Amino acid sequence: DTGVSQDPRHKITKRGQNVTFRCDPISEHNRLYWYRQTLGQGPEFLTYFQNEAQLEKSRLLSDRFSAERPKGSFSTLEIQRTEQGDSAMYLCASVRGLAGAGNNEQFFGPGTRLTVL
Amino acid sequence: AQSVTQLGSHVSVSEGALVLLRCNYSSSVPPYLFWYVQYPNQGLQLLLKYTSAATLVKGINGFEAEFKKSETSFHLTKPSAHMSDAAEYFCAVSDTGRGSTLGRLYFGRGTQLTVWP
């Protein structure tokens, strides 16, 4: 399978715990996006990497959230001190193409569903 | 900022009937527009995209959409619904021009399509 993969697919945690999600993009894709999708809503942008550089962060990304993309390959999204409001589907997407080409198709992974009890 | 409005959170049609899912966007310049489909517990799959070429765009699975600048609309249609079309559909818009925000997607809230036998 050469698509975008995410791990784990499901995560149940207790409030206050830390969680980390991983995204493996398609290998030649240099751009990577994280989105969050809550029930009944469309995905909302969280952050964007071009290679290893994190170029943009949404205001949704509070200081409890941190994302990395070491060496411009896989990416991790960590949530510290989880709250019930963090329960959502976290989606990762990757894109091949030059920065400045907004029409490039984003390929989405299956998502990680987080439930905070 | 871009925004997308999907009219109707739920649409129900009979198998074989016309499918029409509505999407309006707000943008000062014609953006790039996308329709994605999401099946339960899966990521998003691109159906079609508009990138300022032809205003009538054909996608996968028999879907098509027409870009109408005067109406700021990008409605999705399919002449004859199939049971397998039952899913959630998201309209999305992307930035045009250059800059670090380029490529992030702004999604509508989604339309759940139900197909009755």
Side-chain angles (χ1 to χ4, degrees):
Chain A
D1 188 341
T2 57
V4 179
S5 61
Q6 292 187 245
D7 184 69
R9 293 291 306 275
H10 302 274
K11 179 69 177 179
I12 299 174
T13 191
K14 293 182 179 180
R15 188 177 53 186
Q17 298 295 303
N18 299 343
V19 294
T20 300
F21 310 141
R22 176 180 171 124
C23 170
D24 285 273
I26 295 172
S27 60
E28 66 269 26
H29 287 189
N30 59 324
R31 290 155 56 192
L32 187 148
Y33 298 81
W34 284 97
Y35 293 87
R36 181 173 70 185
Q37 184 179 18
T38 54
L39 200 61
Q41 302 292 326
E44 295 174 292
F45 169 79
L46 290 179
T47 190
Y48 161 51
F49 289 86
Q50 182 170 297
N51 299 312
E52 67 276 9
Q54 187 175 19
L55 296 186
E56 187 181 11
K57 293 193 292 184
S58 164
R59 285 175 294 178
L60 293 175
L61 216 64
S62 74
D63 56 6
R64 297 185 297 106
F65 288 71
S66 63
E68 295 181 342
R69 192 182 183 199
K71 302 179 183 178
S73 55
F74 70 92
S75 176
T76 59
L77 178 67
E78 180 183 14
I79 309 174
Q80 296 182 326
R81 306 181 302 282
T82 53
E83 302 173 355
Q84 289 185 324
D86 297 331
S87 295
M89 174 80 87
Y90 290 84
L91 294 164
C92 173
S94 71
V95 188
R96 180 184 65 182
L98 299 174
N103 62 333
N104 292 114
E105 176 184 350
Q106 295 193 16
F107 290 82
F108 282 82
T112 295
R113 183 169 294 282
L114 173 66
T115 302
V116 181
L117 302 176
Chain B
Q2 311 274 8
S3 70
V4 174
T5 303
Q6 290 185 242
L7 297 177
S9 59
H10 291 84
V11 170
S12 295
V13 299
S14 299
E15 192 172 21
L18 171 71
V19 175
L20 171 61
L21 304 182
R22 300 178 186 274
C23 172
N24 289 87
Y25 66 91
S26 69
S27 175
S28 58
V29 295
Y32 296 119
L33 293 158
F34 305 80
W35 275 100
Y36 281 86
V37 61
Q38 186 177 35
Y39 297 99
N41 299 314
Q42 293 187 27
L44 282 74
Q45 180 185 6
L46 182 70
L47 280 176
L48 49 80
K49 64 181 179 182
Y50 167 75
T51 58
S52 74
T55 57
L56 182 62
V57 181
K58 294 187 183 298
I60 62 172
N61 302 337
F63 285 93
E64 63 181 36
E66 185 173 8
F67 172 71
K68 292 187 177 181
K69 182 179 177 181
S70 61
E71 298 178 7
T72 60
S73 69
F74 190 57
H75 302 329
L76 182 70
T77 60
K78 182 174 181 177
S80 177
H82 192 272
M83 297 291 289
S84 61
D85 295 327
E88 188 147 28
Y89 292 79
F90 292 94
C91 182
V93 63
S94 178
D95 301 83
T96 56
R98 294 192 172 273
S100 64
T101 60
L102 197 67
R104 59 176 292 186
L105 293 175
Y106 300 82
F107 287 87
R109 295 183 65 172
T111 299
Q112 180 68 46
L113 176 65
T114 301
V115 182
W116 300 101

